[in-house]
Amino acid sequence: HVQLVESGGGSVQAGGSLRLSCTVSGDIIFTYFMGWFRQAPGKEREKVAIIDTDGTTNYADSVKGRFTISQDNSKNTLYLQMNNLKPEDTAMYYCQATQSVAALGLVGLGFWGRGTQVTVS
């Protein structure tokens, strides 16, 4: 049974940094497509960053140059380094693991964590 647990969220001032972690248990992380997604109140869940099984990364235009997705296979953990945070980055951040690239971002498919809140003021 695959479980994902996010951590590292918090409240920061604009321009600050946070590093989110997503620890995966129950399977090996490098066999999955992994992604970070976020959802602000009243808005749909949106892609933040994705890392492919071969390490290729993809970012939303709104976070390019500020956020970095990475993973440590030895720790079975996915990371999101967030720099120069802006108030519009405020949201609940979720990580997803899926063995189907087509399922990335689709709620109800793959495996999801419960989220970690990021608030930027």
Side-chain angles (χ1 to χ4, degrees):
H1 180 61
V2 178
Q3 290 186 312
L4 285 68
V5 179
E6 301 97 336
S7 61
S11 296
V12 296
Q13 292 188 337
S17 298
L18 285 172
R19 188 176 80 154
L20 305 183
S21 299
C22 173
T23 301
V24 181
S25 61
D27 209 340
I28 303 171
I29 190 174
F30 67 78
T31 65
Y32 286 80
F33 298 93
M34 302 292 299
W36 286 100
F37 300 83
R38 65 187 182 188
Q39 187 167 16
K43 295 187 177 181
E44 292 188 353
R45 193 168 297 189
E46 63 176 4
K47 179 192 78 175
V48 176
I50 290 169
I51 186 164
D52 206 330
T53 53
D54 65 2
T56 302
T57 58
N58 182 270
Y59 296 90
D61 287 342
S62 59
V63 307
K64 281 181 182 176
R66 300 189 297 122
F67 291 10
T68 303
I69 188 172
S70 63
Q71 63 186 53
D72 185 333
N73 293 335
S74 67
K75 296 181 179 179
N76 232 34
T77 299
L78 179 73
Y79 300 102
L80 184 69
Q81 178 65 45
M82 306 186 295
N83 298 327
N84 190 21
L85 282 160
K86 303 176 180 181
E88 52 263 43
D89 295 318
T90 295
M92 184 72 78
Y93 283 70
Y94 300 89
C95 65
Q96 184 195 20
T98 174
Q99 291 184 319
S100 168
V101 66
L104 279 169
L106 298 181
V107 179
L109 296 182
F111 302 97
W112 289 86
R114 294 189 174 185
T116 185
Q117 178 68 38
V118 172
T119 303
V120 186
S121 58

